Coordinates of all heavy atoms in Angstrom, one line a residue:
Y850 N -21.7 224.5 -56.0 CA -23.0 224.1 -55.6 C -23.4 224.8 -54.3 O -24.5 225.2 -54.1 CB -23.0 222.6 -55.4 CG -24.2 222.0 -54.7 CD1 -25.4 221.8 -55.4 CD2 -24.2 221.7 -53.3 CE1 -26.5 221.3 -54.8 CE2 -25.3 221.2 -52.7 CZ -26.5 221.0 -53.5 OH -27.6 220.5 -52.9
I851 N -22.4 224.9 -53.4 CA -22.6 225.6 -52.1 C -23.0 227.1 -52.4 O -23.8 227.7 -51.7 CB -21.4 225.5 -51.2 CG1 -21.1 224.1 -50.8 CG2 -21.5 226.4 -50.0 CD1 -19.8 223.9 -50.1
G852 N -22.3 227.7 -53.4 CA -22.6 229.1 -53.8 C -24.0 229.2 -54.3 O -24.7 230.2 -53.9
S853 N -24.5 228.2 -55.0 CA -25.8 228.3 -55.5 C -26.8 228.2 -54.4 O -27.9 228.9 -54.4 CB -26.1 227.1 -56.5 OG -25.2 227.3 -57.6
M854 N -26.6 227.3 -53.4 CA -27.5 227.2 -52.3 C -27.5 228.5 -51.5 O -28.6 228.9 -51.0 CB -27.0 226.0 -51.4 CG -27.1 224.6 -52.0 SD -28.8 224.2 -52.5 CE -28.7 224.5 -54.3
A855 N -26.3 229.1 -51.3 CA -26.3 230.4 -50.6 C -27.1 231.5 -51.4 O -27.8 232.3 -50.7 CB -24.8 230.9 -50.5
G856 N -27.1 231.4 -52.7 CA -27.8 232.3 -53.5 C -29.3 232.2 -53.3 O -30.1 233.2 -53.2
I857 N -29.8 230.9 -53.1 CA -31.2 230.7 -52.9 C -31.6 231.2 -51.5 O -32.7 231.8 -51.4 CB -31.5 229.2 -53.0 CG1 -31.3 228.7 -54.5 CG2 -33.0 228.9 -52.6 CD1 -31.5 227.2 -54.7
F858 N -30.8 231.0 -50.5 CA -31.1 231.5 -49.2 C -31.2 233.0 -49.2 O -32.0 233.6 -48.6 CB -30.0 231.1 -48.2 CG -30.2 229.8 -47.5 CD1 -29.5 228.6 -47.8 CD2 -31.2 229.7 -46.5 CE1 -29.7 227.4 -47.2 CE2 -31.5 228.4 -45.9 CZ -30.7 227.3 -46.3
M859 N -30.2 233.7 -50.0 CA -30.3 235.1 -50.1 C -31.6 235.6 -50.8 O -32.2 236.6 -50.3 CB -29.1 235.6 -51.0 CG -29.0 237.1 -51.3 SD -27.9 237.5 -52.5 CE -28.6 236.8 -54.0
L860 N -32.0 234.9 -51.8 CA -33.3 235.3 -52.5 C -34.4 235.2 -51.5 O -35.3 236.2 -51.5 CB -33.5 234.4 -53.7 CG -32.7 234.7 -54.9 CD1 -32.9 233.7 -56.0 CD2 -33.1 236.1 -55.5
I861 N -34.5 234.2 -50.7 CA -35.6 234.0 -49.8 C -35.6 235.1 -48.7 O -36.6 235.8 -48.5 CB -35.6 232.6 -49.1 CG1 -35.7 231.5 -50.1 CG2 -36.7 232.5 -48.1 CD1 -35.5 230.1 -49.5
A862 N -34.4 235.4 -48.2 CA -34.2 236.4 -47.2 C -34.6 237.8 -47.7 O -35.3 238.6 -47.1 CB -32.8 236.4 -46.6
L864 N -36.6 238.4 -50.3 CA -38.1 238.5 -50.5 C -38.8 238.7 -49.1 O -39.8 239.4 -49.1 CB -38.6 237.2 -51.1 CG -38.3 237.0 -52.6 CD1 -38.6 235.6 -53.1 CD2 -39.1 238.0 -53.4
L865 N -38.3 238.1 -48.1 CA -38.9 238.4 -46.8 C -38.8 239.8 -46.3 O -39.7 240.4 -45.7 CB -38.3 237.4 -45.7 CG -38.6 235.9 -45.9 CD1 -37.7 235.1 -44.9 CD2 -40.0 235.7 -45.6
L881 N -33.8 236.6 -40.2 CA -34.3 236.4 -41.6 C -33.8 235.2 -42.2 O -34.5 234.4 -42.9 CB -33.8 237.7 -42.4 CG -34.7 238.9 -42.3 CD1 -34.0 240.1 -42.9 CD2 -36.1 238.7 -42.9
Y882 N -32.5 234.9 -42.1 CA -31.9 233.7 -42.7 C -32.4 232.5 -42.0 O -32.5 231.4 -42.6 CB -30.4 233.8 -42.7 CG -29.8 234.5 -43.9 CD1 -29.6 235.9 -43.9 CD2 -29.6 233.8 -45.1 CE1 -29.2 236.6 -45.0 CE2 -29.1 234.5 -46.2 CZ -28.9 235.8 -46.2 OH -28.5 236.5 -47.3
N883 N -32.7 232.6 -40.7 CA -33.3 231.5 -40.0 C -34.7 231.1 -40.6 O -35.0 230.0 -40.8 CB -33.5 231.9 -38.5 CG -32.7 230.9 -37.6 OD1 -32.2 229.9 -38.0 ND2 -32.8 231.2 -36.3
Q884 N -35.5 232.2 -40.8 CA -36.8 232.0 -41.4 C -36.7 231.4 -42.8 O -37.5 230.6 -43.3 CB -37.6 233.3 -41.4 CG -39.0 233.1 -41.8 CD -39.8 234.4 -41.7 OE1 -39.3 235.4 -41.1 NE2 -41.0 234.5 -42.3
A885 N -35.6 231.9 -43.5 CA -35.4 231.4 -44.9 C -35.2 229.9 -44.9 O -35.6 229.3 -45.9 CB -34.2 232.2 -45.5
S886 N -34.5 229.4 -43.9 CA -34.2 228.0 -43.9 C -35.5 227.2 -43.8 O -35.6 226.1 -44.3 CB -33.3 227.6 -42.7 OG -33.9 227.9 -41.5
G887 N -36.5 227.7 -43.1 CA -37.8 227.0 -43.0 C -38.6 226.9 -44.3 O -39.4 226.1 -44.5
S888 N -38.3 227.9 -45.2 CA -39.0 227.9 -46.5 C -38.1 227.4 -47.7 O -38.5 227.4 -48.8 CB -39.4 229.3 -46.8 OG -40.2 229.9 -45.8
F889 N -36.9 226.9 -47.3 CA -35.9 226.6 -48.4 C -36.4 225.5 -49.3 O -36.3 225.7 -50.6 CB -34.6 226.1 -47.7 CG -33.5 225.7 -48.7 CD1 -32.8 226.7 -49.3 CD2 -33.3 224.4 -49.1 CE1 -31.8 226.4 -50.3 CE2 -32.4 224.0 -50.0 CZ -31.6 225.0 -50.6
L890 N -36.9 224.4 -48.8 CA -37.3 223.3 -49.7 C -38.5 223.7 -50.6 O -38.5 223.4 -51.8 CB -37.7 222.1 -48.9 CG -36.5 221.4 -48.2 CD1 -37.0 220.2 -47.4 CD2 -35.5 220.9 -49.2
R891 N -39.5 224.4 -50.1 CA -40.6 224.8 -50.9 C -40.1 225.8 -52.0 O -40.5 225.7 -53.1 CB -41.7 225.5 -50.0 CG -42.5 224.5 -49.2 CD -43.6 225.2 -48.4 NE -43.0 226.1 -47.5 CZ -43.5 227.4 -47.3 NH1 -44.4 227.9 -48.1 NH2 -42.9 228.2 -46.5
Y892 N -39.2 226.7 -51.6 CA -38.7 227.7 -52.6 C -37.9 227.0 -53.6 O -37.9 227.4 -54.8 CB -37.9 228.8 -51.9 CG -37.6 230.0 -52.8 CD1 -38.5 231.0 -52.9 CD2 -36.4 230.0 -53.5 CE1 -38.2 232.1 -53.8 CE2 -36.1 231.0 -54.3 CZ -37.0 232.1 -54.5 OH -36.7 233.1 -55.3
L893 N -37.1 226.1 -53.2 CA -36.3 225.3 -54.1 C -37.1 224.6 -55.2 O -36.8 224.6 -56.4 CB -35.4 224.3 -53.4 CG -34.5 223.4 -54.3 CD1 -33.5 224.3 -55.0 CD2 -33.7 222.4 -53.4
G894 N -38.2 224.0 -54.7 CA -39.1 223.3 -55.6 C -39.7 224.3 -56.6 O -39.8 224.0 -57.8
L895 N -40.1 225.4 -56.1 CA -40.7 226.5 -57.0 C -39.7 227.0 -58.0 O -40.0 227.2 -59.2 CB -41.2 227.6 -56.1 CG -41.9 228.8 -56.9 CD1 -43.1 228.3 -57.7 CD2 -42.3 229.9 -55.9
S896 N -38.4 227.1 -57.5 CA -37.3 227.6 -58.4 C -37.1 226.6 -59.5 O -36.8 227.0 -60.7 CB -36.1 227.8 -57.6 OG -36.2 228.8 -56.6
I897 N -37.2 225.3 -59.2 CA -37.0 224.3 -60.3 C -38.0 224.4 -61.3 O -37.8 224.3 -62.6 CB -36.9 222.9 -59.7 CG1 -35.7 222.7 -58.8 CG2 -37.0 221.8 -60.7 CD1 -35.7 221.4 -58.0
L952 N -45.9 232.5 -52.1 CA -45.4 231.4 -51.3 C -44.9 231.8 -50.0 O -45.3 231.2 -48.9 CB -44.2 230.7 -52.1 CG -43.6 229.5 -51.4 CD1 -44.4 228.3 -51.7 CD2 -42.1 229.3 -51.9
L953 N -44.2 232.9 -49.9 CA -43.6 233.4 -48.6 C -44.6 234.3 -47.9 O -44.6 234.2 -46.6 CB -42.3 234.1 -48.9 CG -41.2 233.3 -49.6 CD1 -40.0 234.1 -50.0 CD2 -40.7 232.1 -48.7
N956 N -47.3 231.8 -46.8 CA -46.8 230.6 -46.2 C -47.7 229.4 -46.7 O -48.2 228.6 -45.9 CB -46.8 230.6 -44.7 CG -46.0 229.5 -44.1 OD1 -45.0 229.0 -44.7 ND2 -46.3 229.1 -42.9
I957 N -47.8 229.3 -48.0 CA -48.6 228.2 -48.7 C -47.7 227.3 -49.5 O -46.5 227.4 -49.5 CB -49.7 228.8 -49.6 CG1 -49.0 229.8 -50.6 CG2 -50.7 229.6 -48.8 CD1 -50.0 230.4 -51.6
V959 N -46.3 225.1 -52.8 CA -45.8 225.5 -54.1 C -47.0 225.5 -55.1 O -47.1 226.5 -55.9 CB -44.7 224.5 -54.6 CG1 -44.4 224.8 -56.1 CG2 -43.5 224.6 -53.8

Side-chain angles (χ1 to χ4, degrees):
Y850 172 79
I851 296 173
S853 298
M854 294 300 102
I857 294 175
F858 272 108
M859 176 192 67
L860 282 171
I861 299 173
L864 284 169
L865 290 173
L881 278 170
Y882 273 90
N883 239 356
Q884 187 178 348
S886 65
S888 305
F889 179 79
L890 290 179
R891 285 183 299 131
Y892 190 87
L893 178 62
L895 180 59
S896 298
I897 292 172
L952 181 81
L953 298 173
N956 195 27
I957 55 179
V959 172

